């Protein structure tokens, strides 16, 4: 089981903004202006997470490059939306998310006066674990190719915190929405997390974790009302413009580490995510490659590897790569939707997204607005189970692992409820 990562204080002081008194008139004009869009996204969060990467990047690339399987992409996305939209619409009959989101979040986090110090601690541990794990060789491309993956006790320890970047993000957002953290410091801490992922990219020669975290942070921030929707559009445009330089830089790092780079594969080729999905279009599904199922979810998801060291590693990506004619030293997937189609067929695409739509709706609406624990679970769903590039079903197991790892933080939040709020310094 693989679980996270730990560091130096990036320089932001121990500062908590005292919650301001609630205004009788409700939200500010700017908040009221954003409320219709934010309210709609919180009614259909899973549908938004499904649609965003395809509407902004994958489908446009398929259309511009005349992908003959564009219809298949639309079919798979449509099946996922059928599952999520139907459940999210049905959930509206049971109640909508709090229309005054920010005021509701202040009330929901009022019982946790030390939420920002806990959030800061989680972020620092995540940063340190990420950097230490990358330095020791965890996730390193050279190690993956050679098959000599590091399994030292220290690396195993860093894996226990693999989901804490998303957890720290959620707690920072809850601190900000609760009035205990300023916007400037929120951006500062989020910037520290992104810079850490960039350093890990340099150490491991892998760009996917950086891109995945940025996409998660922006989309989750949009749903939570921290970022505006246009930030996601601007971020996608910046990725398209910066990707050629990032691609060349990454290849340079790989060559310096002795890894052969195929010069025939261009930056544009690597952006053809539509082809990555449509590689499964002509396959007779579902396919059984011995992927995790049933009790494997519990064994891998709930028991840390440190307590079960003899179990085999999850190798779904390598199994798919071998199925496509490659070797075990590389991993492949068909993006999240393609993997679900590959392993569970069209019914699975609908069922998986219907399940997560119901689960997220429950977290956002059960007994009013979510507190920090429920908001953290929503963010873990976004970063693990619903990440568009995730390797299903391993990503589902990753979600369970990260929930187990987060339980210590939830207990800490509960234990600090009676402590006075920290004052700004």
């Amino acid at each position: 089981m693989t679980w996270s990562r730990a560091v130096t204080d990036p320089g932001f002081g121990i500062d908590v903004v005292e919650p301001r008194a609630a205004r009788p008139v409700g939200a500010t004009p700017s908040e009221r202006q954003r409320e219709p869009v934010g309210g709609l996204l919180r009614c259909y969060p899973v549908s938004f997470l499904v649609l965003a990467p395809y509407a902004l990047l994958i489908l446009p690339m398929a259309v511009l490059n005349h992908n003959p399987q564009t219809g298949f992409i639309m079919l798979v996305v449509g099946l996922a939306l059928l599952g999520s939209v139907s459940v999210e619409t049905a959930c509206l009959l049971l109640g909508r998310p709090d229309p005054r989101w920010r005021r509701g979040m202040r009330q929901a986090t009022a019982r946790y006066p030390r939420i920002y110090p806990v959030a800061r601690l989680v972020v620092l541990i995540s940063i340190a674990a990420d950097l230490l794990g990358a330095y020791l060789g965890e996730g390193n491309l050279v190690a993956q190719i050679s098959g000599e993956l590091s399994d030292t006790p220290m690396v195993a320890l860093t894996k226990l915190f693999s989901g804490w970047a998303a957890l720290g993000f959620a707690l920072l957002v809850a601190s900000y929405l609760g009035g205990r953290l300023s916007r400037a410091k929120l951006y500062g801490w989020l910037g520290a997390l992104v810079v850490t992922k960039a350093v890990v990219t340099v150490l491991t020669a892998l760009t996917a974790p950086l891109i995945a975290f940025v996409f998660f942070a922006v989309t989750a921030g949009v749903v939570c009302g921290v970022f505006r929707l246009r930030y996601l559009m601007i971020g996608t445009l910046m990725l398209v413009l910066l990707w050629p330089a990032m691609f060349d830089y990454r290849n340079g790092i790989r060559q310096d580490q002795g890894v052969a780079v195929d010069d025939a594969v261009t930056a544009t080729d690597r952006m053809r995510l539509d082809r990555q999905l449509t590689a499964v279009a002509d396959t007779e599904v579902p396919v059984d490659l011995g992927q995790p199922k049933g009790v494997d979810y519990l064994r891998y998801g709930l028991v840390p590897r440190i307590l079960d060291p003899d179990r085999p590693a999850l190798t779904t990506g390598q199994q798919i790569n071998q199925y496509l004619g490659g070797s075990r030293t590389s991993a492949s997937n068909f993006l999240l939707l393609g993997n679900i189609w590959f392993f569970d067929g069209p019914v699975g695409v609908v069922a998986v997204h219907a399940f997560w739509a119901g689960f997220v709706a429950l977290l956002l609406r059960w007994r009013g607005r979510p507190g920090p624990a429920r908001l953290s679970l929503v963010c873990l769903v976004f970063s693990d189970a619903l990440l568009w590039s995730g390797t299903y079903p391993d990503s589902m197991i990753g979600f369970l692992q990260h929930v187990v790892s987060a339980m210590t933080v939830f207990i800490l939040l509960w234990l600090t409820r009676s402590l006075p709020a920290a004052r700004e310094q």
Side-chain angles (χ1 to χ4, degrees):
M1 161 174 208
T2 28
W3 290 358
S4 204
R5 310 177 204 230
V7 200
T8 56
D9 190 325
F12 312 114
I14 306 176
D15 27 32
V16 174
V17 180
E18 289 292 335
R20 302 187 183 107
R23 298 183 182 179
V25 294
T28 65
S30 61
E31 289 173 345
R32 286 197 297 268
Q33 186 178 10
R34 292 197 295 267
E35 199 58 35
V37 175
L40 179 63
L41 293 181
R42 284 185 286 276
C43 287
Y44 294 92
V46 171
S47 299
F48 170 67
L49 263 290
V50 170
L51 187 59
Y54 287 89
L56 292 175
L57 183 61
I58 299 174
L59 269 172
M61 290 293 289
V63 172
L64 289 174
N65 291 280
H66 307 289
N67 189 326
Q69 297 288 357
T70 299
F72 173 76
I73 299 176
M74 297 178 68
L75 169 64
V76 177
V77 174
L79 289 172
L81 291 176
L82 174 63
S84 61
V85 171
S86 59
V87 171
E88 288 170 333
T89 301
C91 287
L92 294 179
L93 302 176
L94 306 176
R96 294 172 176 265
D98 193 330
R100 294 184 176 180
W101 174 252
R102 288 176 179 266
R103 190 179 72 171
M105 286 302 298
R106 287 189 179 226
Q107 295 172 351
T109 58
R111 295 184 301 159
Y112 303 92
R114 307 292 295 186
I115 184 174
Y116 172 54
V118 173
R120 185 177 57 230
L121 176 65
V122 170
V123 171
L124 288 174
I125 291 176
S126 171
I127 291 174
D130 275 356
L131 294 176
L132 180 60
Y135 176 76
L136 294 176
E138 196 231 329
N140 186 280
L141 182 65
V142 176
Q144 291 182 20
I145 292 175
S146 65
E148 298 176 356
L149 299 180
S150 177
D151 58 354
T152 64
M154 189 60 70
V155 169
L157 179 63
T158 64
K159 290 179 179 180
L160 294 175
F161 306 101
S162 61
W164 280 33
L167 179 62
F169 170 88
L171 295 177
L172 288 173
V173 169
S175 301
Y176 169 71
L177 294 175
R180 302 183 185 279
L181 177 64
S182 68
R183 180 182 291 270
K185 289 189 170 59
L186 171 68
Y187 286 177
W189 283 108
L190 295 184
L193 286 170
V194 172
V195 169
T196 299
K197 297 296 182 183
V199 173
V200 170
T201 293
V202 173
L203 294 175
T204 62
L206 296 171
T207 54
L210 170 63
I211 295 174
F213 180 78
V214 171
F215 177 83
F216 150 73
V218 175
T219 50
V222 170
V223 171
C224 293
V226 173
F227 303 133
R228 298 193 182 192
L229 185 58
R230 65 169 176 261
Y231 288 13
L232 179 59
M233 302 176 185
I234 294 173
T236 303
L237 178 61
M238 290 180 61
L239 173 63
V240 172
L241 296 177
L242 295 176
W243 174 243
M246 293 173 60
F247 180 79
D248 291 339
Y249 183 70
R250 184 205 67 174
N251 283 353
I253 295 174
R254 293 185 175 187
Q255 290 174 328
D256 291 342
Q257 295 180 357
V259 178
V261 174
D262 187 356
D263 294 330
V265 179
T266 66
T268 302
D269 293 331
R270 294 297 296 172
M271 285 195 68
R272 291 296 308 278
L273 299 172
D274 55 305
R275 292 194 304 198
Q276 189 172 339
L277 171 61
T278 56
V280 75
D282 296 326
T283 302
E284 185 176 346
V285 296
V287 176
D288 188 351
L289 297 182
Q291 67 276 11
K293 59 187 73 172
V295 71
D296 293 332
Y297 278 62
L298 300 179
R299 181 183 181 188
Y300 283 89
L302 302 181
V303 182
R305 177 170 290 279
I306 197 170
L307 301 178
D308 187 12
D310 297 329
R311 70 169 178 242
L314 293 175
T315 58
T316 303
Q318 287 86 345
Q319 290 172 331
I320 292 175
N321 196 59
Q322 287 183 292
Y323 178 86
L324 295 174
S327 67
R328 287 187 61 84
T329 57
S330 296
S332 301
N333 72 15
F334 306 110
L335 305 184
L336 177 67
L337 297 187
N339 269 35
I340 300 174
W341 174 279
F342 183 71
F343 288 123
D344 295 333
V347 174
V349 177
V350 177
V352 168
H353 288 85
F355 170 80
W356 288 117
F359 186 69
V360 171
L362 180 67
L363 292 173
L364 288 178
R365 303 173 201 180
W366 180 58
R367 299 178 63 183
R369 49 271 177 202
R374 280 162 50 196
L375 189 66
S376 296
L377 291 176
V378 170
C379 286
L380 289 177
V381 172
F382 289 176
S383 66
D384 294 327
L386 293 178
L387 186 65
W388 59 271
S389 59
T391 300
Y392 174 90
D394 298 7
S395 56
M396 307 301 171
I397 292 173
F399 169 75
L400 292 176
Q401 293 175 344
H402 295 159
V403 170
V404 172
S405 178
M407 293 306 296
T408 55
V409 177
F410 297 160
I411 293 172
L412 180 60
L413 281 170
W414 182 79
L415 292 175
T416 57
R417 287 185 304 170
S418 60
L419 296 178
R423 295 189 176 277
E424 184 174 5
Q425 297 183 5

